[in-house]
Amino acid sequence: MRRPRRWWGRKSTPAKVETYTRWSFHFFGLTEILMIGVSAFGQVGPRLATGLSLLVILHAAVCMLFSSRALDWTRGRRAQPLRLLWVLAVLTAVISIGAIGIAERGPGGDGVDAAAGSVFAGVLCFGAGTITLGVRNRRRVVAAVGGFALGAGAVSFPLGMPGIASAAVAGLVLVAGGFLAFTSIFSVWLLNAVYTLDEAKETRARLAVAEERLRFGRDLHDVMGRNLAVIALKSELAVQLSRRGRPEAVEQMIEVQRIAQESQREVRGVVRGYRETDLEVELTGARGVLTAAGIDCEVSGETSGLPTEVQSALGWVVREATTNVLRHGDADKVAVVVQTSEGRVVLTVENDGVADAAGTNPAVGSGSPGRPAATGRSVASGGSGLAGLRERLAAVEGTLEAGSAGKGVFRLTAEVPLPPGAGGLLEVAS
């Protein structure tokens, strides 16, 4: 059972929905075989039942093939399967007409009439419902289902079926075929909606990264723009004074040197402020971003009074964990807990979006070979997210563990020791 679970777990949410939709269409074909083909053996003799069953199996196989290719067409992976659509339409008509012919001119008996009638109506219903997957607009869908229903009545009446029975067959094909068509079209619409939401989720994550880059670039521009302009002017002035042999050129170059050194300090300050994070701010931001993404986020614990370096390290853990949940996970709920005890701060981030909990990865967890693998695809593919967190935590003598915490749960745990005397400050703050 591990391999099917790994195969299913590696799929994204849209891929899972697509697999479910595809096999739902295949299940329609299996239903046609069981309801129509197999039931014929209890109504007529073995030879005739085998012939009817083979016709139904052939029709169901073409329906399953067409539904699979039509689904690929709706996703833009192949051209519209028009040739296969006409093959299915002609095959449906031929089998239904053949079933009526067997009922009217074949062996006598009520069982033969019932079996042939089931094949006639069933093939038309499943054919009409499946063919609608290969058309684009609603009018053509209605025309396809209505055409099969009218064709059922128009074919059955001249072959000897009473008028009321012909009308009943046409109504049955219209209702059953319309229901199958509605189910198929709604399933495709739902699949496209899931893919659209997933693309919007990825776009939102990319926009968040782009916005942060713009903010950082704007801060650098604000710091460096004015200083570089002053440096350029004073350098030009120093060149002019030097050409004239004026001693003030030296003073201007000293001023340029001072402004350059000041600019270096300001840039370092901007970068330091970008790298350092506030834990409370990161927790608030994580809650807002996850909630906007439709993920339930619960945050508990006290963060006031923690040293700056501890907050910075744990803030990066929250930021990285939130990014992994948004980009790589499939979570519905995230829980963040901050606990302080015995001179240590423990931050735990749990989510229920495990993609593959059965694998192992030596790069994940505390570094031991047997630790469970993380669910983030960047981690599974050798990403540096957790490695970077360990480096930041190592600077404050902290540790990081990541892995499965039970069925369907992924846990990220960061533990940082408090500096001497910080425990008393926390008690006063609380």
Side-chain angles (χ1 to χ4, degrees):
M1 293 298 294
R2 280 187 176 181
R3 289 184 178 179
R5 263 186 286 177
R6 290 183 182 180
W7 167 77
W8 181 258
R10 284 194 294 265
K11 288 180 174 290
S12 62
T13 298
K16 290 178 181 178
V17 176
E18 181 177 349
T19 302
Y20 170 79
T21 304
R22 192 179 299 273
W23 281 101
S24 296
F25 295 149
H26 294 340
F27 180 75
F28 288 163
L30 296 177
T31 303
E32 180 182 1
I33 295 173
L34 294 176
M35 289 181 59
I36 305 172
V38 176
S39 63
F41 286 92
Q43 298 171 327
V44 298
R47 178 177 294 183
L48 182 58
T50 301
L52 292 175
S53 298
L54 290 177
L55 291 176
V56 172
I57 291 173
L58 175 61
H59 185 265
V62 175
C63 284
M64 287 189 282
L65 178 61
F66 176 77
S67 62
S68 181
R69 293 192 176 180
L71 188 61
D72 290 336
W73 166 63
T74 59
R75 293 302 310 150
R77 301 186 187 123
R78 65 167 65 238
Q80 186 178 9
L82 292 176
R83 182 178 299 178
L84 189 58
L85 185 150
W86 285 109
V87 169
L88 178 58
V90 171
L91 181 64
T92 301
V94 170
I95 294 177
S96 60
I97 294 174
I100 291 294
I102 292 174
E104 295 298 325
R105 296 177 174 79
D110 295 336
V112 175
D113 293 341
S118 297
V119 172
F120 172 76
V123 166
L124 287 175
C125 292
F126 283 100
T130 304
I131 283 178
T132 54
L133 288 171
V135 296
R136 181 73 70 179
N137 54 46
R138 297 178 182 177
R139 291 183 179 179
R140 293 182 179 179
V141 171
V142 173
V145 177
F148 272 95
L150 292 176
V155 171
S156 60
F157 183 74
L159 293 177
M161 186 175 291
I164 297 177
S166 298
V169 170
L172 174 64
V173 173
L174 180 63
V175 173
F179 174 76
L180 291 175
F182 171 78
T183 303
S184 301
I185 294 173
F186 179 78
S187 299
V188 172
W189 174 85
L190 183 62
L191 176 62
N192 291 332
V194 172
Y195 269 106
T196 301
L197 289 175
D198 187 69
E199 293 172 359
K201 183 179 178 180
E202 293 181 359
T203 302
R204 183 169 53 247
R206 288 195 297 268
L207 288 176
V209 174
E211 183 179 357
E212 183 65 17
R213 289 176 178 172
L214 288 174
R215 185 193 69 81
F216 185 62
R218 185 171 58 250
D219 292 346
L220 281 179
H221 177 270
D222 293 341
V223 169
M224 295 297 297
R226 177 183 59 83
N227 291 347
L228 288 176
V230 174
I231 288 175
L233 290 175
K234 286 188 172 293
S235 299
E236 184 179 355
L237 178 58
V239 170
Q240 297 295 333
L241 293 174
S242 177
R243 287 176 178 175
R244 297 174 185 176
R246 302 282 297 272
E248 292 87 350
V250 177
E251 298 178 0
Q252 294 297 328
M253 291 307 301
I254 293 175
E255 184 67 12
V256 167
Q257 183 181 17
R258 184 191 64 79
I259 296 174
Q261 292 173 349
E262 182 180 349
S263 299
Q264 277 187 321
R265 288 192 296 270
E266 291 180 352
V267 170
R268 288 170 184 167
V270 171
V271 174
R272 188 181 303 110
Y274 177 75
R275 290 179 176 175
E276 292 179 356
T277 59
D278 182 83
L279 181 57
E280 186 65 30
V281 173
E282 292 297 330
L283 290 174
T284 303
R287 186 191 292 112
V289 170
L290 293 173
T291 302
I295 301 173
D296 184 19
C297 181
E298 296 181 0
V299 179
S300 60
E302 183 63 38
T303 61
S304 60
L306 291 176
T308 303
E309 61 273 13
V310 174
Q311 290 206 35
S312 178
L314 295 180
W316 273 102
V317 174
V318 174
R319 181 181 296 182
E320 181 69 21
T322 304
T323 302
N324 284 337
V325 170
L326 289 174
R327 291 183 176 177
H328 313 301
D330 187 21
D332 295 322
K333 184 177 181 180
V334 176
V336 184
V337 181
V338 181
Q339 295 178 331
T340 304
S341 62
E342 299 180 356
R344 305 185 71 85
V345 180
V346 180
L347 172 69
T348 304
V349 182
E350 287 187 359
N351 70 81
D352 58 356
V354 172
D356 184 6
T360 56
N361 188 343
V364 181
S366 59
S368 58
R371 296 292 303 180
T375 61
R377 293 175 191 165
S378 63
V379 178
S381 61
S384 58
L386 294 182
L389 289 181
R390 288 196 178 87
E391 292 178 0
R392 294 180 183 278
L393 291 173
V396 291
E397 300 180 358
T399 59
L400 179 70
E401 294 184 1
S404 176
K407 186 176 181 180
V409 178
F410 178 73
R411 178 183 297 164
L412 188 71
T413 303
E415 189 172 345
V416 179
L418 291 172
L425 293 176
L426 288 175
E427 293 179 0
V428 172
S430 61

